[in-house]
């Protein structure tokens, strides 16, 4: 029995349950036995399990790899929360289907071509004083050198900028400590101009470089007109990082082919991989971006493709660009939280190399260089700039930082391990095996000035046998590791079924403050009031020869208009505004045969334009199960043949519905009066509490008030028809009056529940 009590103690202690909890029908021991769980499993489960209704401590933003999206999940539960559509159309969010988001995607066109995917690698959260501020997220596209901006107030992509001089880019997005700039370095060297240059001119005409995108925080947008590029030799620049604190004015970018090797097996040459790893070292590029920005301001740039470029000659003359050898085939370059060290990991070296920023500065100030590269860029001797080197294992790639002083974690691709080590003392502390072949790793806020420790995620390149098989294409595996103790402990495997994520960033969940609804009539993609905003009761259809424009609304449970008539060949634009205020009352809009699915979150206005080129009947409906009468949230688009003069006769459709009697009307009114009594009770409860102190309840009350006003209008119409003894219409409107009451009651009950759970107080 001792054994069983131990488990109970562990379980209860970690879950904060009292030992006197009444016995469950099934004991913990039974479950463990049945499922073959060990003590260790139980502890891991208790550390990661987030009970129903509870939330995660950290929010992770993961690259979605080739899916061109961002994946959001919670830590420690590893529950998926959202995919954010970025470079790729995504119908659930209406992204790439409504005209407003098509305009965002169109910003990412490359030389006039639509690019409908991205190869996302590195997300970066905006920073203030070197700490995540939770306002914006940036992510790069390696295949088509682009940076996207996501506003974390609504988790939507707002902007895509295309690099004007590179043809691929890897070392982005990383932000300076106050998000003045976002860096994006080139990867594969190419000519800056969009022209053909033979490979024989590689050394002379092909170039790498680092682009610095200016970010305007007030506007919340990247300013391409204020971006600039520091030209660099064709060394295949790789990852980058900005300095922090003492090194904040500098940025660091490494490179993996300073051999400037050009492969071509079909030309009888040894392949790229042989030529690019021939030398023992490559070059760390050290850039004074603050000085570079001043040089740009002083006009000492050349203009290529309408973009300001600092040439290598200028960079050397102005003391902007320096090189330091770094060990074989480097990959990650990561600045320590205190900004004093720059850690580089070389894939083909077993060490991490810790460079001292202070030493680098002194060497530059003293003009102490070991020589120049073929382009005249001064080279600082590696031994002079190194603080220490630590043997961590095979295939070191990326480094993150923990909450303890001098604590670093480095991923070991070849060893399939994570190494924990001390970068001040230069000693290895601990290692843990992962499954399998880790790429990036990520500690909570582990690339900021204030790492939060606690957890680490290993982003493994291979899953192999870790999950139920799903065919030859495997999911990726993000493994959660507990780093709070002296020994690292593996806690959880999460399959990620969307592309190959490269890097993740995780922020304290309390730092995120997303909205729950938009201001009414909001164009979320441009973040301004939509010119097509439509209020309740102001829906209209404007027709001119060859053109139809509909200004409609959606609210539980109808789309207005419910019938749209156009003529064959008409250019049709639909605008819809979601009138809801209640949390999570999203409506969708899908229309037969036009490749459209719109997402209308509360307050949002979206548009869709298409050519009505084929006569026919096109049903449309709401795609979100939004109320008990969701299926009735429908309508018809009628495309009449050209020249069709049939006049719409509503009496015919009325007859289709059948006829209602006085008795029907009176029965409905009776039901409505009973419903009203219920509503009055709920209203009395809410108004007797301090509901004004609960913003979500205030929103619900506003919403319910709207519905009650609609109910009042429908009631008046019903009574009008009743006065005229038109029982058919009187009964129909009485039913509609009841529909509004039901919605008001539903919202009211939700508000009441919220107040009860929130411990609202009675007021006099
Ligand atoms: Cu895959 Cu940062 Cu693009 Cu390393 S990167 S793994
Ligand atoms: Cu709106 Cu279903």
């Amino acid at each position: 029995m001792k054994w069983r009590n131990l488990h109970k103690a562990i379980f209860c202690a970690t879950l904060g349950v009292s030992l006197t909890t009444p016995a469950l029908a099934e004991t913990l021991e039974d479950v463990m036995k049945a499922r073959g769980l060990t003590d260790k499993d139980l502890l891991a489960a208790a550390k990661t399990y987030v009970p129903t209704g509870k939330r995660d401590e950290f929010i992770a933003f993961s690259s979605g790899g080739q899916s061109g999206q961002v994946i959001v999940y919670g830590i420690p539960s590893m529950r998926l929360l959202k995919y954010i559509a970025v470079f790729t159309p995504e119908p659930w969010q209406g992204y790439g289907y409504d005209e407003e988001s098509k305009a965002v995607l169109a910003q990412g066109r490359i030389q006039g071509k639509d690019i409908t995917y991205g190869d996302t690698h590195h997300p970066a959260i905006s920073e203030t004083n070197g700490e995540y501020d939770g306002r914006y997220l940036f992510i790069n596209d390696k295949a088509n050198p682009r940076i996207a901006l996501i506003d974390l107030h609504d988790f939507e992509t707002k902007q895509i900028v295309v690099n004007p001089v590179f043809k691929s880019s890897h070392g982005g997005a990383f932000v300076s400590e106050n998000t003045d700039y976002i860096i994006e370095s080139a990867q594969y060297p190419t000519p800056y101009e969009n022209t053909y240059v033979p490979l024989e001119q590689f050394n002379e005409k092909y170039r790498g470089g680092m682009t610095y995108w200016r970010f305007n925080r007030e506007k919340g947008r990247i300013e391409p007109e204020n971006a600039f590029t520091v030209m660099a030799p064709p060394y295949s620049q790789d990852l980058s990082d900005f300095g922090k604190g003492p090194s904040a004015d500098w940025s660091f970018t490494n490179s993996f082919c300073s051999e400037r090797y050009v492969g071509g097996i079909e030309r009888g040459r040894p392949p790229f991989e042989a030529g690019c790893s021939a030398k023992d070292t490559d070059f760390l590029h050290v850039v004074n971006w603050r000085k570079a920005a001043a040089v740009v301001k002083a006009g000492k740039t050349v203009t290529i493709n309408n973009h300001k470029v600092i040439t290598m000659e200028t960079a050397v003359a102005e003391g902007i660009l320096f090189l330091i050898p770094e060990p074989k085939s480097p990959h990650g370059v990561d600045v320590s939280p205190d900004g004093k060290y720059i850690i580089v990991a070389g894939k083909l070296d077993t060490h991490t190399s810790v460079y001292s920023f202070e030493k680098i500065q002194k060497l530059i100030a003293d003009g102490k260089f070991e020589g120049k590269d073929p382009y005249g860029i001064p080279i600082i001797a590696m031994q002079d700039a190194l603080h220490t080197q630590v043997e961590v294992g095979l295939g070191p790639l990326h480094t993150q930082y923990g909450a303890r002083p001098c604590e670093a974690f480095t991923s070991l691709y070849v060893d399939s391990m994570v190494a924990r080590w001390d970068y001040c003392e230069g000693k290895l502390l601990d290692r843990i095996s992962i499954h399998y072949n880790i790429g990036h790793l990520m500690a909570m806020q582990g690339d900021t000035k204030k790492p939060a420790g606690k957890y680490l995620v290993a982003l493994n390149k291979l899953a192999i046998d870790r999950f139920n098989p799903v065919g030859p294409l495997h999911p990726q595996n993000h493994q959660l590791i507990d780093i709070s103790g002296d020994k690292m402990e593996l806690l959880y495997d999460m399959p990620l079924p969307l592309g190959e994520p490269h890097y993740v960033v995780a922020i304290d969940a309390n730092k995120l403050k997303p909205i729950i609804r938009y201001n009414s009539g909001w164009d979320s993609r441009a973040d301004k009031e939509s010119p097509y905003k439509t209020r309740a009761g102001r829906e209209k259809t404007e027709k001119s020869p060859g053109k139809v424009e509909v200004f409609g609304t959606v609210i539980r449970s109808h789309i207005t208009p419910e019938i749209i008539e156009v003529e064959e060949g008409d250019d049709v634009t639909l605008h819809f505004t979601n009138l809801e205020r209640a949390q999570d009352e999203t409506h969708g809009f899908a229309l037969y045969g036009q490749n459209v699915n719109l997402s209308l979150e509360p307050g949002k206005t979206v548009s869709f334009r298409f050519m009505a080129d084929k006569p026919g009947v096109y049903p449309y409906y709401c795609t979100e199960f939004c109320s008990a009468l969701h299926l009735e949230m429908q309508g018809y688009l009628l495309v009449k043949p050209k020249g069709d003069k049939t006049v719409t006769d509503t009496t015919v459709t009325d007859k289709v519905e059948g006829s209602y009697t006085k008795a029907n009307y009176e029965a409905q009114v009776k039901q409505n009066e009973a419903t009203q009594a219920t509503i009055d009770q709920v209203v009395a409860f809410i108004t007797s509490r301090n509901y004004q102190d609960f913003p979500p309840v205030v929103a619900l009350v506003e919403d319910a008030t709207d519905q009650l006003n609609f109910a009042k209008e429908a009631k008046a119409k019903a009574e009008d028809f009743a006065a005229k003894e038109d029982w058919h219409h009187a009964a129909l409107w009485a039913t509609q009056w009841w529909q509004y009451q039901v919605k008001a009651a539903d919202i009211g009950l939700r508000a009441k529940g919220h107040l009860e759970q929130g411990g609202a107080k009675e007021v006099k």
Side-chain angles (χ1 to χ4, degrees):
M1 275 307 111
K2 223 179 107 199
W3 182 82
R4 186 177 151 182
N5 287 337
L6 169 76
H7 290 295
K8 211 171 163 192
I10 292 172
F11 188 73
C12 296
T14 46
L15 292 187
V17 183
S18 134
L19 282 162
T20 55
T21 310
L24 302 166
E26 200 179 26
T27 66
L28 196 54
E29 186 186 355
D30 295 338
V31 176
M32 286 180 71
K33 220 175 192 171
R35 302 196 64 215
L37 301 176
T38 64
D39 282 10
K40 225 179 146 197
D41 294 334
L42 209 65
L43 251 178
K47 283 180 179 180
T48 53
Y49 178 67
V50 173
T52 173
K54 295 275 165 27
R55 295 175 183 184
D56 278 299
E57 191 178 350
F58 295 95
I59 301 298
F61 295 92
S62 171
S63 123
Q66 317 81 329
S67 76
Q69 316 289 38
V70 164
I71 305 160
V72 187
Y73 61 81
I75 293 175
S77 77
M78 307 301 269
R79 293 183 298 191
L80 283 177
L81 297 171
K82 195 171 206 171
Y83 294 145
I84 304 175
V86 185
F87 295 110
T88 309
E90 203 291 306
W92 169 52
Q93 296 159 62
Y95 189 76
Y97 296 88
D98 62 58
E99 301 305 321
E100 289 81 357
S101 61
K102 280 184 204 167
V104 176
L105 279 168
Q107 296 168 13
R109 282 192 185 133
I110 306 270
Q111 297 191 43
K113 272 201 184 146
D114 282 324
I115 307 287
T116 57
Y117 85 103
D119 183 16
T120 63
H121 280 237
H122 306 110
I125 296 172
S126 57
E127 294 179 14
T128 302
N129 297 323
E131 289 185 53
Y132 292 159
D133 55 33
R135 284 292 292 115
Y136 299 96
L137 183 78
F138 306 92
I139 191 154
N140 75 316
D141 170 12
K142 169 170 163 167
N144 317 282
R146 302 183 291 179
I147 301 277
L149 162 77
I150 295 152
D151 193 328
L152 293 178
H153 98 286
D154 62 354
F155 285 49
E156 275 198 0
T157 302
K158 307 293 174 178
Q159 187 183 21
I160 297 173
V161 292
V162 179
N163 194 295
V165 288
F166 301 158
K167 310 292 179 281
S168 77
S169 79
H170 187 238
F174 300 90
V175 300
S176 58
E177 70 172 21
N178 280 303
T179 324
D180 302 298
Y181 286 94
I182 302 122
I183 193 171
E184 182 189 29
S185 59
Q187 180 120 74
Y188 306 113
T190 51
Y192 274 19
E193 290 80 8
N194 298 327
T195 50
Y196 167 72
V197 178
L199 276 165
E200 286 67 26
Q201 297 175 31
F202 191 83
N203 292 352
E204 301 76 38
K205 297 277 178 64
Y206 284 52
R207 289 290 174 261
M210 286 73 64
T211 297
Y212 297 82
W213 293 100
R214 182 89 175 106
F215 181 62
N216 183 326
R217 189 180 281 270
E218 233 158 77
K219 282 197 252 161
R221 291 293 181 273
I222 293 166
E223 296 181 329
E225 65 279 15
N226 292 322
F228 64 88
T229 293
V230 177
M231 193 183 266
Y235 293 159
S236 296
Q237 281 76 24
D238 198 34
L239 278 145
S240 305
D241 201 5
F242 271 99
K244 301 176 176 77
S247 55
D249 291 349
W250 295 72
S251 70
F252 309 90
T253 299
N254 53 25
S255 58
F256 64 80
C257 195
S258 59
E259 291 86 349
R260 295 182 292 169
Y261 185 74
V262 179
I265 347 184
E266 49 298 296
R267 295 183 182 181
R269 292 166 60 86
F272 276 105
E273 56 179 322
C276 282
S277 53
K279 280 204 308 171
D280 274 344
T281 55
D282 284 293
F283 284 125
L284 176 66
H285 297 53
V286 178
V287 178
N288 186 333
W289 63 264
R290 183 79 71 186
K291 215 180 224 184
V295 161
V296 171
K297 215 169 169 200
K300 295 179 199 168
T301 52
V302 297
T303 300
I304 304 175
N305 298 339
N306 237 331
H307 173 74
K308 295 183 195 86
V309 175
I310 299 178
T311 62
M312 291 189 280
E313 298 72 49
T314 306
V316 171
E318 299 282 342
I320 288 168
L321 177 61
F322 305 90
L323 300 171
I324 312 177
E326 48 183 3
K328 231 172 161 78
S329 296
H331 192 43
V333 50
D334 300 280
V335 175
S336 62
D338 56 16
K340 290 185 185 166
Y341 301 103
I342 302 112
I343 294 173
V344 171
K347 300 189 289 283
L348 301 181
D349 185 58
T350 55
H351 297 88
T352 46
S353 302
V354 183
Y355 293 86
S356 157
F357 180 71
E358 204 183 316
K359 284 185 182 175
I360 294 170
Q361 288 306 294
K362 182 142 193 328
L363 291 161
I364 292 173
D366 296 348
K368 198 167 171 258
F369 305 113
E370 67 174 10
K372 286 180 175 182
D373 83 336
Y375 302 90
I377 305 167
I379 301 171
I380 296 168
M382 180 161 78
Q383 285 313 319
D384 293 349
L386 277 178
H387 165 65
T388 184
Q389 283 188 306
V390 185
E391 173 129 23
V392 288
L394 298 178
L397 293 185
H398 298 282
T399 297
Q400 287 271 295
Y401 300 92
R404 301 175 182 192
C406 304
E407 184 184 36
F409 299 88
T410 297
S411 52
L412 304 171
Y413 179 84
V414 179
D415 269 341
S416 290
M417 294 184 102
V418 169
R420 173 192 237 160
W421 55 287
D422 181 318
Y423 61 85
C424 302
E425 298 293 318
K427 59 175 192 243
L428 183 66
L429 302 171
D430 184 25
R431 304 211 302 170
I432 186 172
S433 291
I434 60 81
H435 317 85
Y436 305 91
N437 296 90
I438 182 171
H440 272 272
L441 77 178
M442 184 272 296
M444 305 302 102
Q445 303 182 162
D447 59 9
T448 70
K449 274 186 175 171
K450 289 254 174 72
K454 291 192 176 187
Y455 307 103
L456 184 116
V457 176
L459 282 72
N460 307 333
K461 294 299 176 195
L462 303 177
I464 307 183
D465 54 1
R466 301 298 286 185
F467 305 113
N468 299 64
V470 289
L473 183 61
H474 288 49
Q476 290 270 307
N477 185 6
H478 285 196
Q479 284 190 304
L480 184 69
I481 297 166
D482 180 355
I483 56 168
S484 57
D486 287 338
K487 283 300 288 173
M488 292 183 276
E489 300 283 353
L490 185 59
L491 295 178
Y492 193 74
D493 283 16
M494 175 176 65
L496 266 186
L498 195 79
E500 185 209 319
H502 290 260
Y503 184 41
V504 183
V505 284
I507 181 173
D508 180 339
N510 294 318
K511 288 191 175 185
L512 295 171
K513 307 257 184 285
I515 54 163
I516 56 167
R517 60 172 163 157
Y518 291 106
N519 293 341
S520 185
W522 202 250
D523 171 355
S524 69
R525 320 290 185 182
D527 257 328
K528 56 172 204 235
E529 193 175 279
S530 170
Y532 313 114
K533 164 181 176 170
T534 305
R535 290 172 205 279
R538 303 280 173 80
E539 298 86 354
K540 61 179 179 189
T541 299
E542 286 179 355
K543 294 194 179 186
S544 59
K547 251 187 105 168
V548 177
E549 194 165 5
V550 175
F551 298 79
T553 61
V554 293
I555 190 163
R556 275 159 292 167
S557 309
H558 49 264
I559 300 169
T560 308
E562 297 195 323
I563 296 161
I564 303 170
E565 287 178 294
V566 306
E567 201 180 69
E568 175 184 0
D570 277 351
D571 175 347
V572 183
T573 307
L574 310 175
H575 309 287
F576 287 109
T577 298
N578 183 347
L579 300 174
E580 307 275 359
R581 287 191 180 82
Q583 187 164 357
D584 203 14
E585 276 302 340
T586 295
H587 300 285
F589 179 88
L591 172 67
Y592 165 71
Q594 301 294 343
N595 195 34
V596 58
N597 187 57
L598 307 177
S599 175
L600 287 137
E601 297 93 78
K604 201 174 195 175
T605 296
V606 297
S607 308
F608 177 64
R609 185 178 167 191
F610 64 100
M611 292 303 290
D613 44 12
K614 277 214 173 73
V617 175
Y618 298 79
Y620 54 84
Y621 68 98
C622 165
T623 53
E624 291 265 342
F625 207 106
C626 50
S627 76
L629 288 150
H630 150 78
L631 291 178
E632 290 79 352
M633 197 160 172
Q634 57 162 350
Y636 285 103
L637 170 83
L638 304 169
V639 183
K640 294 181 170 179
K642 208 157 188 73
D644 185 297
K645 291 280 178 286
T646 324
V647 180
T648 312
D649 179 358
T650 51
T651 58
V652 175
T653 38
D654 271 0
K655 270 182 211 133
V656 173
E657 290 157 5
S659 236
Y660 296 97
T661 61
K662 184 178 180 194
N664 292 136
Y665 171 72
E666 283 169 354
Q668 186 61 56
V669 170
K670 214 167 166 197
Q671 186 177 8
N672 296 3
E673 279 160 359
T675 307
Q676 192 57 47
T678 311
I679 293 172
D680 291 344
Q681 279 172 18
V682 176
V683 169
F685 176 89
I686 295 170
T687 50
S688 69
R689 298 297 188 280
N690 58 331
Y691 80 95
Q692 306 275 18
D693 299 337
F694 297 79
V697 175
V698 173
L700 288 168
V701 167
E702 282 175 25
D703 197 15
T705 309
D706 267 2
Q707 297 292 338
L708 286 177
N709 284 333
F710 293 143
K712 227 184 265 169
E713 287 167 25
K715 181 175 185 242
K717 281 184 189 159
E719 285 167 354
D720 261 12
F721 280 112
K724 288 185 264 177
E725 300 197 354
D726 178 345
W727 303 113
H728 178 75
H729 285 101
L732 279 173
W733 279 111
T735 311
Q736 186 55 38
W737 158 21
W738 184 68
Q739 289 299 346
Y740 289 125
Q741 286 183 310
V742 169
K743 280 163 213 154
D746 173 37
I747 301 163
L749 287 168
R750 233 190 288 173
K752 183 169 176 258
H754 198 105
L755 289 177
E756 283 165 348
Q757 279 166 27
K761 287 186 295 283
E762 206 157 345
V763 289
K764 271 134 236 150

